Amino acid sequence: MSNKYVEMGMRSPVNLTWEVSLLCNLRCNHCLSDSGEAAEGEMTTAEALDLVEQISKAGVFQVNFGGGEPFMRPDFEEIIGACHDKGIMTCISTNGTLLDSERVARLAASRLVAIQVSLDGSNAETCDAIRGKGVFERGIAAVKRLAQTKIPTSINTVLTSQNASEIPAMHELAKSLGVSLRVSRFRPSGRGAENWESLRPTPTQLIAFSDWLAASGDVRTGDSFFSLTSQERQGLGLNLCGAAKLTCCVSPTGNMYPCAFLQTERFKAGSLRENSFQEIWDNSEIYESFRNLRIHSCEECQRFDQCHGGCPAVAWHLKNDINGGDPECLERCVTSIADNRLPEAA
């Protein structure tokens, strides 16, 4: 699939990020949505099941469920089941603390589910400092239960200054448990914005991670367009932002956004309580603006073909400008080290 075709937008997103609730039993320092209590006016079961019908008709291939903690929602397994009845693949991002043996057995009955358990360190000391006391132990127990089934399972780690040195150990931990490792980028969104300065990786850490990632072909990243993606890894994913082109986000209250990191009024594409999923996908001015987004200031950069300007969400949160290029791209990291200064930030 060519970048040119993707930039035009598709008939429907290939995958959908659905934040089913802001309710969460943890208070992670880097949470993208500041989860904790349920949002006012979250979608009812009937509304959620109607959305499953709509995305099935639209041809959405996969739904990535997040939150909050999805399993805090009492009807979540009913929503998953409705997706599977329609042949829709599901991937669930969870902290693992609610995955007991009975629930894992129920989930394992479907071949359409994958699960990623969030852990942010190779040991309890590092992980619990970010996610809360006892979370590492409970998360590992969940991974072990999942690994005994046929459910595709991964450990998802958000790269921060606190765990950057432990990523290779996280890789070994995942392999020892019989699951894969996925490393995600830390963004200054939600509670992550409040803890940005204390958790943001340094340019040196980012470059070291880039070098390690290039040599670790079995490690996945949710940021295929991210400027840390090396030339050798381009074949593993598109090297541009897929927001409003390949993917989009639905919030707990039924609002649609370009991606999970831009769930603000400024980037609200529409409400499912006012328009259908297909109408919003086809006609939203916000989505159209992302499909036409070109980071011209980055076009002369030697790494442009690898990142196409990087992540607009990071550019927005740090610079209040989605058109200015990712302020933490790899090229800026290299330059900042040479100049002995941090990349530009707000």
Side-chain angles (χ1 to χ4, degrees):
M1 186 182 301
S2 71
N3 286 350
K4 181 178 181 181
Y5 179 73
V6 172
E7 288 173 358
M8 294 169 60
M10 303 182 70
R11 182 176 63 85
S12 66
V14 174
N15 62 68
L16 168 70
T17 296
W18 185 352
E19 310 281 286
V20 289
S21 178
L22 287 187
L23 191 63
C24 190
N25 57 337
L26 303 184
R27 300 293 185 274
C28 301
N29 295 341
H30 56 32
C31 180
L32 71 91
S33 55
D34 200 11
S35 294
E37 302 302 321
E40 183 177 353
E42 292 192 349
M43 296 172 72
T44 66
T45 301
E47 287 175 322
L49 296 179
D50 180 65
L51 177 56
V52 173
E53 290 283 343
Q54 291 189 55
I55 63 177
S56 174
K57 291 179 180 178
V60 173
F61 174 74
Q62 177 174 304
V63 178
N64 300 322
F65 285 106
E69 169 52 50
F71 289 107
M72 291 287 286
R73 183 169 170 136
D75 61 357
F76 181 52
E77 289 188 49
E78 183 179 357
I79 296 170
I80 298 171
C83 289
H84 296 167
D85 289 343
K86 296 293 184 181
I88 300 172
M89 296 288 296
T90 60
C91 180
I92 305 168
S93 295
T94 173
N95 58 43
T97 61
L98 303 179
L99 284 176
D100 57 25
S101 298
E102 291 76 14
R103 175 164 277 157
V104 168
R106 291 196 299 270
L107 293 168
S110 174
R111 293 182 295 176
L112 297 176
V113 64
I115 297 179
Q116 55 183 40
V117 177
S118 297
L119 293 170
D120 290 299
S122 61
N123 56 69
E125 181 180 4
T126 303
C127 183
D128 289 1
I130 295 174
R131 307 191 69 82
K133 186 176 181 180
V135 174
F136 179 79
E137 182 179 350
R138 295 165 72 185
I140 290 294
V143 172
K144 289 180 177 178
R145 292 187 191 103
L146 291 165
Q148 294 175 354
T149 73
K150 294 183 179 181
I151 298 174
T153 302
S154 60
I155 290 174
N156 184 69
T157 299
V158 177
L159 182 71
T160 66
S161 60
Q162 295 184 11
N163 66 20
S165 64
E166 297 182 22
I167 298 300
M170 291 289 296
H171 188 207
E172 292 303 315
L173 174 63
K175 287 195 293 185
S176 73
L177 295 172
V179 301
S180 61
L181 176 66
R182 181 179 185 269
V183 182
S184 298
R185 185 177 178 186
F186 176 46
R187 290 172 171 86
S189 170
R191 199 174 296 126
E194 301 172 15
N195 297 295
W196 173 247
E197 291 303 330
S198 63
L199 292 178
R200 65 185 294 198
T202 66
T204 299
Q205 288 174 325
L206 289 171
I207 292 173
F209 172 69
S210 176
D211 292 340
W212 179 84
L213 187 64
S216 306
D218 61 331
V219 175
R220 296 182 296 121
T221 172
D223 302 294
S224 56
F225 58 85
F226 184 27
S227 55
L228 294 187
T229 304
S230 67
Q231 188 72 36
E232 292 77 12
R233 292 178 62 89
Q234 282 195 34
L236 299 182
L238 291 167
N239 54 338
L240 79 165
C241 173
K245 310 176 189 84
L246 288 172
T247 187
C248 66
C249 174
V250 173
S251 78
T253 57
N255 293 330
M256 290 178 62
Y257 301 93
C259 79
F261 299 97
L262 290 173
Q263 295 182 70
T264 67
E265 190 64 27
R266 163 67 177 80
F267 295 103
K268 179 180 173 181
S271 169
L272 291 166
R273 288 170 170 158
E274 298 173 3
N275 296 100
S276 71
F277 179 86
Q278 193 69 60
E279 287 171 339
I280 297 171
W281 176 259
D282 288 342
N283 303 318
S284 164
E285 293 182 3
I286 291 292
Y287 285 170
E288 184 66 19
S289 68
F290 271 76
R291 290 164 189 158
N292 293 324
L293 182 63
R294 303 291 184 274
I295 313 300
H296 296 297
S297 60
C298 295
E299 289 178 346
E300 299 303 316
C301 176
Q302 62 179 344
R303 299 182 186 273
F304 182 73
D305 288 341
Q306 294 173 250
C307 73
H308 287 265
C311 177
V314 174
W316 172 258
H317 287 298
L318 293 184
K319 298 169 55 180
N320 200 36
D321 179 16
I322 65 171
N323 298 290
D326 192 328
E328 289 212 326
C329 74
L330 186 60
E331 186 65 21
R332 286 188 171 95
C333 288
V334 172
T335 303
S336 69
I337 291 174
D339 293 345
N340 194 29
R341 58 181 176 81
L342 286 173
E344 178 185 355

